[in-house]
């Protein structure tokens, strides 16, 4: 289906501002741009007294690393007209970070909406809107999203998402895709080869940021993000990869991808002291209502089970004993210890973990021992350790948010057979990517009685509304081939707090 005239004009206008009439031009260093703020603005990682603000300059005079530092002024106000400016200051955008800005703010009032803008190169950015976390909250509205392939679908779902007035957009990975799928019908083209170095990954992220629906979602709502695999290379696990590249070779590619990711995301720079091993796991406490922990399930995981050295591919495992080894980890020792400490001090009525990959057991046939290697099934002992922590009496109403599998799921999570579930998993489908092939997961309900709902045929996202005594969830489906965001509810359910 063809894009609407509005969407087509918006994309072409943003591309023209980038000085990249043909899409392949984005694979080259930026030169002499018309609008320094053509990639928009964004906010994220909110706290009770602050947040992170982001932009990246691509304006006049920028010539890759030759441009030098560029002065940037920021303003933060309590009103959209900037009559009541509460904070302002000056920064520099440096070429080493692709002239991106990450402003980490503290000292603001809790539970307040703020507007912000940047000034640079005789231009002013769009006005962004964000908010601090309230001290007391009786509701949290989340939009859960994952898996957006530029070529395979429009991003109009963000318009439907914004209509729900979310407090926070939670993106659990595959923000970009590195790979084209020529056998799939495309609505637009990358116009560049698969990224393998810093310039390539920067160009891919910048291309995504020209999408007007994605820009608007970043402009209006704070985000909390983590990565999955396509931000680097499909199915990678730590330094194991599907191409079997030696660890030192793949480490350079991964570091480039990580740096480009940081340069384009509203993430706290204090978490990224080392680009070689940045810390992406962190927590957001929404008043006294929700403890939300964002996890990194790629960087620190053990090598894939029953695989050749340095090779990581998502394959079916039949009777692979290695996946059950107690020393295997999905999160790595440091992240496991951080999460255990966070859960040990839990006191809020809702405990939410957001992470990239399918968590619940998902057996593919009647034997109960056929699973996919890339999911938590490949790291069964690590899953058991986490479920043990979620089963503690002081951890109430735990909820795990996941993505990756391009389909909708609601799963009960059990610590021990025959006892009540200890948690619920909600899995969002792809916002814009192909659905799984028929039969990929076998006879799901017959082989997995803990799965309460699944839909393998629709793209979309999940709306979640959390109140002290209940949780409401909507699985919302949209036509990814249409630029018009007409949604329908596949399923909605309500969970009462205990």
């Amino acid at each position: 289906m063809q894009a609407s005239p509005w969407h087509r004009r918006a994309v072409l206008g943003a591309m023209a501002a980038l000085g990249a009439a043909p899409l392949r031009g984005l694979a080259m260093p930026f030169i002499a741009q018309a609008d320094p703020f053509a990639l928009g603005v964004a906010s994220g990682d909110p706290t009770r007294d602050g947040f992170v603000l982001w932009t990246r300059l691509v304006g006049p005079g920028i010539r890759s690393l030759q441009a030098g530092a560029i002065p940037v002024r920021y303003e933060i106000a309590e009103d959209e007209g900037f009559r009541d400016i509460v904070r302002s200051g000056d920064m520099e955008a440096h070429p080493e970070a692709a002239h991106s800005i990450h402003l980490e703010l503290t000292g603001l009032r809790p539970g307040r909406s703020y507007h912000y803008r940047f000034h640079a190169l005789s231009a002013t950015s769009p006005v962004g809107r964000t908010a601090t976390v309230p001290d007391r909250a009786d509701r949290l509205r989340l939009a859960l999203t994952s898996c957006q392939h530029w070529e395979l679908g429009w991003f109009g779902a963000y318009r439907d998402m914004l209509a729900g007035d979310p407090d926070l957009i939670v993106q659990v990975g595959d923000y970009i895709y590195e790979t084209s799928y020529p056998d799939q019908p495309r609505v637009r083209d990358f116009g560049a080869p698969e990224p393998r170095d810093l310039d390539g990954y920067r160009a891919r992220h910048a291309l995504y940021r020209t999408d007007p629906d994605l820009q608007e979602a970043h402009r209006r709502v704070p985000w909390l993000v983590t990565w999955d695999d396509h931000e680097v290379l499909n199915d990678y696990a730590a330094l194991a990869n599907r191409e079997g590249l030696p660890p030192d070779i793949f480490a350079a590619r991964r570091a480039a991808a990580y740096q480009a990711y940081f340069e384009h995301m509203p993430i706290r720079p204090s978490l990224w002291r080392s680009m070689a091993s940045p810390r992406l796991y962190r927590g957001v406490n929404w008043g006294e209502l929700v403890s939300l922990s964002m996890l990194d399930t790629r960087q620190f995981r053990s090598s894939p089970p029953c695989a050749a050295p340095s090779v990581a591919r998502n394959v079916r495992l039949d009777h692979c004993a290695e996946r059950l080894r107690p020393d295997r980890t999905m999160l790595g020792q440091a992240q496991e210890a951080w999460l255990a400490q966070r859960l040990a001090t839990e006191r809020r009525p809702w405990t939410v973990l957001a992470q990239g990959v399918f968590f619940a057991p998902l057996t593919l046939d009647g034997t109960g021992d056929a699973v996919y290697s890339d999911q938590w099934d490949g790291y069964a002992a690590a899953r058991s350790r986490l479920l043990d922590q979620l089963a503690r009496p002081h951890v109430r109403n735990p909820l795990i948010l996941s993505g990756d599998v391009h389909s909708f799921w609601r799963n009960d999570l059990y610590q021990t057979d025959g006892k009540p579930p200890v948690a619920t998993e909600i899995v969002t489908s792809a916002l814009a990517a192909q659905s799984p092939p028929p039969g990929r997961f076998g006879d799901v309900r017959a082989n997995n009685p803990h799965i309460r709902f699944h839909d393998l045929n629709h793209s979309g996202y999940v709306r979640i509304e959390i109140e002290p005594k209940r949780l409401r969830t909507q699985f919302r489906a949209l036509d990814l081939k249409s630029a018009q965001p007409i949604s329908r509810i596949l399923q909605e359910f309500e969970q009462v707090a205990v």
Side-chain angles (χ1 to χ4, degrees), residues 44 50 96 103 128 131 156 190 206 218 220 236 245 266 269 290 319-320 456:
E96 296 81 6
L103 177 59
F190 284 138
H218 275 295
R220 287 176 51 185
Y236 87 93
L245 297 172
V290 177
H319 306 289
C320 170
L456 308 180

Side-chain angles (χ1 to χ4, degrees), residues 316 318-319 363-370 441-443 446-448:
R316 173 176 167 140
D318 289 277
H319 306 289
T363 57
L364 306 176
D365 62 21
T367 69
D369 200 33
F441 302 111
D443 190 338
N447 300 324
N448 301 274

Side-chain angles (χ1 to χ4, degrees), residues 4-17 38 210-213 215:
S4 69
W6 171 85
H7 194 283
R8 187 160 47 247
R9 286 195 302 270
V11 172
L12 291 175
M15 296 302 298
T210 65
D211 184 274
D213 292 315
Q215 274 200 21

Side-chain angles (χ1 to χ4, degrees), residues 17-86:
L18 282 171
L23 289 175
R24 61 181 176 273
L26 276 175
M28 303 300 292
F30 292 122
I31 57 173
Q33 315 301 341
D35 177 7
F37 299 105
L39 302 186
V41 297
S43 69
D45 283 5
T47 64
R48 64 178 302 278
D49 72 337
F51 35 71
V52 174
L53 302 182
W54 171 93
T55 192
R56 179 188 168 192
L57 302 181
V58 291
I62 295 179
R63 296 179 179 272
S64 188
L65 295 181
Q66 300 174 10
I70 297 174
V72 179
R73 183 160 184 81
Y74 65 88
E75 295 175 319
I76 301 162
E78 292 192 350
D79 66 298
E80 193 170 7
F82 286 82
R83 291 178 294 275
D84 185 14
I85 296 176
V86 297

Side-chain angles (χ1 to χ4, degrees), residues 82 150 157 211 217 236 242 252 258 302 337 343 371 438 451 455 483:
F82 286 82
W150 171 272
D211 184 274
Y236 87 93
R242 65 185 302 108
Y258 283 2
S302 302
L343 293 175
V371 299
I451 291 175
D455 177 276

Side-chain angles (χ1 to χ4, degrees), residues 430-445:
L431 183 128
Q434 75 280 8
S435 296
R440 176 171 178 79
F441 302 111
D443 190 338
V444 172
R445 295 302 295 272

